[in-house]
Amino acid sequence: MSAPVIVVGHKNPDNDSICAAVGYAYLKNELARRAAGDGEPSRVYVPARLGPLPPESAWVLEENGVPAPEIVSHVHARVGDVMTPNPISIGHDATLLEAGRLLRQHNVRALVVTNDDGTYRGLITTRMIAERYIAATDALEDGNMNEMAVAGNLIASLGQKVDDITETDVLVLDKEGLLKEAIEDLMASELREAVVLNDDGLAIGIVTRSDVAVRPKRKVVLVDHNETRQAANGIEEAEIVEIIDHHRIADVMTANPIQFLNLPVGSTATIVTMEFRKYGVEIPPTIARVLLSAIMTDTVILKSPTTTPVDHEQVAYLADIAGVDPTEFGLAVFKCRGGEDNMSVDKLVGADAKEFQIGDATVLIAQHETVDLPAVMKREEEIREHMRRLRDDHNYEFVLLLVTDIVAEGSQFLCEGNRRIVNRVFGIECTGEGGTWMPGVLSRKKQVAARILGA
């Protein structure tokens, strides 16, 4: 089976980014099983994330018994992508005859030598065994032995213990280590092989110089973004095989044509739901609730101006499968965010923050959705101080925070940095303390970022 395909959303993941990855990975795995029939699927899709789970994502996943996507720090090629897994092993007290048989039987050039408890001890290779025989023939040329003595020595060596010629000075690699760094180490090593160990000291893989010559690319499906600055580190080295998104088309490039679904709807989960229906794949109630939660958060319970009739249709479809009232369910999801009094300011400001490029300048536009605006605004001084630190640390032109009240259907604008840009675009005086109330502004993408980027 080939290496798994990573289905992943953007940095600082929001609920749509997490749930779309979960839902789309489930769909792709079902389609792969359908294509395989009675056989083994040729490809597996694994949902992943680039940061911590938002509270509402953690809640909806746990409530429905759906595992959280695994966290990945990058999509650079790793040692694990090229290693030969489950290497053939032999006990240290076995004979060279047994080692030779295993090497020939499995058509490999190296065996892992193990201790009595199965842990890694060293390596024995065809080259080491060959050198043992060559040493015997050298004795013949030196005149130290006659042919019969050399032959007897070679026959006796078949019963020699593996331990006698085991190489213990072997390069040890980490499965998650960067391949490009491992290549440098392996090329500098005297041996042509390296081993990969797990935390228990067991050998789980072998890497040879031939393996690293392949230079594989990890396969990735992007959901809820198509912009390199929001993508996983190493995306330029990966092979993007699909993109499912509802944002503007940005700067992600691919070497080959791919499926790129980019629709003007309120949520990536809306598109994922449409794909389930297109292919006639049944959505389990658990996955339906996961996808429904994403649509409801991204469309602010269908109140956002990004909401379309298509979103309403998919919400009705998912709510019927999930057996819930969509509005009540959406409010329950939003209430999971709660705890604004105790939430760290870094999380409050940065959990849903995205960078945007305006000419040569970079800006940060963050959004925090709440059902208790006064509780957030009581922390305004602390919030602004954190925003100023972000501005200074990252050299942003400005940091804009939308504190969105989903009940009152509007957003309080808090801005630190060059406020003139925000003031000019929106015709306001966002002068500082207290911020500026913007009625009807619920969508960062459509009502804020688009206007600023187009100014």
Side-chain angles (χ1 to χ4, degrees):
M1 184 181 294
S2 58
V5 180
I6 301 167
V7 183
V8 67
H10 50 73
K11 293 175 179 175
N12 292 325
D14 60 8
N15 194 41
D16 191 33
S17 176
I18 296 292
C19 295
V22 170
Y24 199 62
Y26 181 91
L27 170 62
K28 296 296 289 186
N29 283 323
E30 288 300 302
L31 291 174
R33 276 191 278 271
R34 177 188 291 180
D38 295 332
E40 188 75 17
S42 61
R43 185 169 285 182
V44 173
Y45 293 79
V46 177
R49 55 190 168 98
L50 301 181
L53 287 174
E56 63 271 30
S57 301
W59 177 78
V60 76
L61 293 172
E62 184 177 353
E63 282 289 305
N64 289 282
V66 177
E70 66 177 76
I71 192 163
V72 297
S73 56
H74 62 80
V75 291
H76 292 287
R78 307 161 303 169
V79 168
D81 297 321
V82 300
M83 76 177 190
T84 299
N86 305 315
I88 307 301
S89 63
I90 190 168
H92 68 94
D93 58 351
T95 65
L96 292 191
L97 178 60
E98 293 173 284
R101 285 173 175 167
L102 277 177
L103 289 165
R104 186 176 65 258
Q105 178 184 346
H106 295 280
N107 193 28
V108 294
R109 293 180 302 197
L111 299 173
V112 170
V113 180
T114 60
N115 294 308
D116 292 336
D117 60 359
T119 56
Y120 167 77
R121 187 183 188 95
L123 280 185
I124 183 171
T125 68
T126 53
R127 187 175 62 258
M128 295 171 188
I129 296 175
E131 288 174 354
R132 168 67 181 83
Y133 286 98
I134 291 170
T137 58
D138 286 345
L140 178 62
E141 291 184 3
D142 293 340
N144 296 328
M145 292 185 183
N146 60 34
E147 291 182 358
M148 292 301 296
V150 169
N153 181 269
L154 289 174
I155 293 172
S157 72
L158 296 176
Q160 188 176 357
K161 298 297 185 183
V162 164
D163 214 11
D164 293 340
I165 63 170
T166 293
E167 178 59 71
T168 56
D169 187 16
V170 180
L171 176 65
V172 175
L173 299 174
D174 179 3
K175 181 181 178 182
E176 298 299 321
L178 295 183
L179 180 60
K180 57 186 177 183
E181 295 177 358
I183 290 173
E184 296 176 6
D185 294 337
L186 187 55
M187 291 306 178
S189 171
E190 291 186 9
L191 291 181
R192 298 173 57 87
E193 299 85 11
V195 293
V196 183
L197 306 183
N198 65 12
D199 293 339
D200 297 322
L202 301 175
I204 58 173
I206 285 183
V207 180
T208 69
R209 291 181 184 176
S210 299
D211 293 329
V212 300
V214 177
R215 302 290 182 104
K217 292 186 175 183
R218 298 174 79 181
K219 289 180 168 55
V220 181
V221 174
L222 302 184
V223 297
D224 202 33
H225 72 299
N226 70 99
E227 193 167 347
T228 52
R229 79 167 49 243
Q230 295 180 15
N233 294 335
I235 195 64
E236 66 284 349
E237 295 180 13
E239 180 185 353
I240 300 171
V241 296
E242 286 187 54
I243 299 175
I244 313 294
D245 194 17
H246 69 130
H247 296 93
R248 68 185 183 122
I249 296 176
D251 59 350
V252 169
M253 299 181 66
T254 63
N256 301 298
I258 64 168
Q259 173 166 280
F260 187 165
L261 288 178
N262 185 268
L263 299 177
V265 294
S267 165
T268 303
T270 295
I271 306 173
V272 173
T273 304
M274 293 168 67
E275 287 294 284
F276 270 97
R277 301 179 73 177
K278 171 183 173 182
Y279 289 104
V281 175
E282 182 179 348
I283 306 179
T286 53
I287 297 297
R289 294 185 196 105
V290 169
L291 291 171
L292 179 60
S293 77
I295 301 176
M296 299 307 275
T297 52
D298 240 34
T299 64
V300 194
I301 313 184
L302 301 177
K303 295 177 181 179
S304 170
T306 61
T307 309
T308 69
V310 176
D311 296 299
H312 281 273
E313 181 185 350
Q314 307 316 313
V315 162
Y317 178 75
L318 291 170
D320 183 58
I321 296 172
V324 298
D325 176 274
T327 301
E328 291 180 2
F329 179 75
L331 285 171
V333 173
F334 270 105
K335 286 177 182 177
C336 290
R337 293 180 174 179
E340 273 109 349
D341 292 336
N342 302 319
M343 184 182 296
S344 71
V345 68
D346 177 64
K347 187 173 183 180
L348 194 152
V349 175
D352 187 10
K354 292 184 178 179
E355 292 182 346
F356 297 90
Q357 200 73 27
I358 304 178
D360 295 330
T362 303
V363 303
L364 186 72
I365 305 178
Q367 185 171 24
H368 178 78
E369 293 162 330
T370 183
V371 292
D372 189 0
L373 180 61
V376 178
M377 293 306 296
K378 280 194 300 187
R379 301 179 61 183
E380 181 183 359
E381 183 178 347
E382 179 189 7
I383 289 170
R384 286 189 178 277
E385 182 181 345
H386 182 72
M387 291 169 65
R388 288 191 289 270
R389 283 199 301 271
L390 288 174
R391 178 200 62 196
D392 295 341
D393 291 348
H394 300 277
N395 197 31
Y396 293 131
E397 186 73 10
F398 65 79
V399 177
L400 175 62
L401 172 64
L402 287 64
V403 185
T404 300
D405 189 325
I406 65 172
V407 177
E409 298 187 31
S411 295
Q412 198 79 14
F413 275 23
L414 304 179
C415 186
E416 290 295 333
N418 185 1
R419 298 191 184 108
R420 291 191 301 274
I421 296 175
V422 177
N423 290 344
R424 174 174 55 81
V425 170
F426 294 96
I428 60 175
E429 287 295 329
C430 191
T431 54
E433 186 177 349
T436 302
W437 174 250
M438 301 293 290
V441 174
L442 300 172
S443 170
R444 170 179 54 195
K445 178 180 70 173
K446 192 168 184 177
Q447 295 175 290
V448 181
R451 290 180 63 177
I452 290 175
L453 294 173

